[in-house]
Amino acid sequence: MAVAAIYSLMYWMLAKEIKAHRFGSIYQGLPTLETLEGMGRAASLAGLVVLGLGIFLGHLWAYKILGYFYSFDPKIVITDIAWLGYLIGWAIVRLRGLGGLRTSQWAFWGFIALFTSLVIVNIFATTFHRFT
Amino acid sequence: MQNSQLVLIAYHHKNAPVEHRDLVALSHDQILLFIQLGKQSSVGISEMAIISTCNRTEFYIISSEPALVKEWVLTQYEQQLSVKPEGGWREPEILFNDQAITHLFGVAGGLESMMLGENQVLSQVKASHNLILSTGYKFPRLNHLFQDAIRTGKAIRSKTGLSTGAVSISLAAVDLASKIYSNFEKHPILLIGAGETNQLVANHFQERGASKFIVVNRGQHNRELLAEKLNGKAYGLDELDQAITEADIIVTATNAKQYLILKEKLKTILHRRRRGALLLVDISSPRNIDPQVSDLPDVFLYHIDHLKEVVHENLERRRSEIPAAELIVEEIKQEYLSWLKSLDVVPTISQLSKYFHQVRKQELEKFAKGTEAEEYERLQELSNGIVKKLLHYPILSLREMAKSEQIDPGRINAIWELFKMNQNES
């Protein structure tokens, strides 16, 4: 997801430079918009699959250790919601054949939102899900 | 050979208008004819190579009568090809030795081209080189010279930025598109207008792999003609919205006096289109695309002034590479001159070797009678070995003298006199 966000940010920066007709180091140094979009999509898909698998295994592990499959722990709820959000977003993009700047912006802000919420939960909310 | 000089007789875009260049341009067969005539000429021509393109016809000639070469060339045009300009011959550029070498290396490197740093000229120099090789004549100096010219051309292109960046409007359009799309094959290109400009743009896109073209033009005949050439689709101006929906790249080059693509209209089309980036290139004057369309997300608009700016910047960048390219020319020219110098000692080496082996043979013949074949063979081997050892240091010394470019004519003459060798035999 982080990698996808980086590609999205690169897409965004390059698109801005092309629009402004600036041909500096960002323009010269980055690959084409199409390549960045393709890499971003591949990274998103990989992130979706790996994170999905991680969440699923986490729930299985919880069932084995705690005896229940799901807990309304803030960290778990946010992670599940974020993953679902990513899945819905990915499906919309895929089914409607969307692409371009908006999609890249969603991918970037989606990751920022996920990261920020997890940081906030870790700092302010009570959660059993800690690695100490 | 000692007094032979390299002479360049050249007509090119800097000293002759296109009419004159057309007149002196030579076909493959005419070049071969000139080379044959040169071998039989009375002006001491020993080697000849000709570069003939739309921008230049240049004769590289090695002759012992360099002052007569220009007249000879022009006479052959008149007598053999019946070419005689109406207002008389323009003065060609005439360069000798060093300057001619610099010129050829500059030609191969794109320094002398009308479009600074263009690539095509290097293939033309290669073709001229292949042509002299195909004649079967031995042209050692020009062969080496053209090999070095090709080496110079390649070095300039790989080590400097002299040939990078588009320097024409149509190529600049394709270059900009290639920063958005990696592969043009799957992206439809819409050409609004079926004139010469769009044909040129389409050709450049085709060279980069584009295969899907849509042509929109008011006139049915022209749009169908261009669409057929490009194996694409043809739409009338009333079907423009549909054509835009299908396209990823749009190039407009028409004489229309009003905007053909408006912001609000494009916004509606983009809603239907639902794909990523859309590149719009407006080469028309007055402009055909509302500049406000660039406010829309994923829409990248370039008009003629932007393209001119790109071309100007690229040209400036190319110009800034001239000193680096000239350094390469100078470096390889020095290598060539050094090689050329080494040729000065070749007759001495060959004559010296000939003399020593002659003495060896004469002395051996005295033992030919009364010696068994096997023993005679051993004597031959022995004498051969002695002669080779004796020649080793004199030859090495001569070669080093040539390499260090410090050939001392006094020492060379001393060798000839010491061994009573005849200069006319070399």
Side-chain angles (χ1 to χ4, degrees), chain A residues 11 14-15 17-19 21 23 26-35 37 96-102, chain B residues 175-176 178-183 186-187 274-277 294-302 306 310 313:
Chain A
Y11 183 101
L14 179 59
E17 294 297 293
I18 297 175
K19 232 180 211 304
H21 311 125
F23 308 106
I26 293 175
Y27 183 90
Q28 301 293 337
L30 289 177
T32 64
L33 284 181
E34 193 176 22
T35 305
E37 191 174 21
R96 298 184 70 179
L98 300 176
L101 190 62
R102 289 258 163 87
Chain B
D175 261 16
L176 290 170
S178 62
K179 199 64 198 177
I180 295 174
Y181 304 105
S182 316
N183 179 359
K186 55 183 180 180
H187 296 288
R274 277 188 192 158
R275 280 198 305 278
S294 62
D295 297 341
L296 298 168
D298 293 317
V299 172
F300 301 96
L301 170 67
Y302 284 90
H306 298 134
V310 170
E313 277 176 22

Side-chain angles (χ1 to χ4, degrees), chain B residues 83-288:
Chain B
V83 170
K84 201 171 180 184
E86 270 179 31
W89 286 100
R90 280 178 163 267
E91 189 56 27
E93 183 172 26
I94 305 173
L95 297 173
F96 296 96
N97 305 319
D98 267 33
Q99 287 179 316
I101 298 167
T102 307
H103 180 88
L104 174 62
F105 289 4
V107 167
L111 285 163
E112 297 289 337
S113 297
M114 196 183 263
M115 192 69 82
L116 184 67
E118 59 116 342
N119 286 317
Q120 213 184 348
V121 71
L122 183 58
S123 349
Q124 288 156 343
V125 173
K126 280 181 190 169
S128 301
H129 181 227
N130 288 335
L131 199 62
I132 57 170
L133 292 178
S134 74
T135 59
Y137 293 125
K138 279 190 178 170
F139 290 162
R141 293 179 191 208
L142 287 183
N143 183 19
H144 202 102
L145 181 68
F146 271 70
Q147 276 176 7
D148 279 354
I150 293 162
R151 195 155 64 90
T152 308
K154 284 180 182 170
I156 287 176
R157 280 168 184 82
S158 62
K159 291 179 185 169
T160 74
L162 195 82
S163 300
T164 56
V167 283
S168 72
I169 296 288
S170 49
L171 259 179
V174 181
D175 261 16
L176 290 170
S178 62
K179 199 64 198 177
I180 295 174
Y181 304 105
S182 316
N183 179 359
F184 292 134
E185 202 180 348
K186 55 183 180 180
H187 296 288
I189 297 163
L190 166 60
L191 305 167
I192 305 177
E196 214 171 288
T197 311
N198 261 350
Q199 282 195 31
L200 202 60
V201 172
N203 291 342
H204 289 315
F205 270 115
Q206 272 184 323
E207 283 164 16
R208 303 266 191 106
S211 58
K212 292 179 182 171
F213 290 95
I214 306 160
V215 183
V216 169
N217 191 51
R218 200 182 298 276
Q220 189 185 351
H221 176 71
N222 283 352
R223 75 169 172 251
E224 283 177 357
L225 204 68
L226 183 59
E228 199 184 314
K229 260 189 206 170
L230 302 170
N231 206 11
K233 291 193 250 181
Y235 288 144
L237 209 53
D238 53 331
E239 295 165 297
L240 183 60
D241 290 5
Q242 176 56 33
I244 295 172
T245 313
E246 292 177 26
D248 286 340
I249 299 166
I250 301 173
V251 184
T252 66
T254 77
N255 293 323
K257 302 285 177 221
Q258 73 287 349
Y259 293 145
L260 298 175
I261 300 175
L262 293 157
K263 184 183 172 184
E264 286 311 311
K265 197 181 189 184
L266 188 63
K267 199 174 172 183
T268 320
I269 295 171
L270 286 178
H271 194 69
R272 272 206 310 271
R273 184 176 167 269
R274 277 188 192 158
R275 280 198 305 278
L278 175 69
L279 173 67
L280 298 155
V281 183
D282 190 353
I283 316 181
S284 318
S285 185
R287 288 178 290 180
N288 289 166

Side-chain angles (χ1 to χ4, degrees), chain B residues 351-368:
Chain B
Q351 199 59 23
L352 198 61
S353 175
K354 201 174 157 188
Y355 170 76
F356 270 60
H357 281 286
Q358 217 168 4
V359 172
R360 182 181 71 86
K361 272 184 188 167
Q362 279 169 3
E363 291 306 305
L364 260 180
E365 270 169 20
K366 291 178 187 168
F367 295 94

Side-chain angles (χ1 to χ4, degrees), chain B residues 411-426:
Chain B
R411 283 165 76 184
I412 302 275
N413 284 337
I415 294 170
W416 286 83
E417 280 171 19
L418 275 172
F419 295 101
K420 296 253 181 273
M421 297 189 301
N422 188 351
Q423 299 257 10
N424 296 328
E425 281 177 24
S426 63

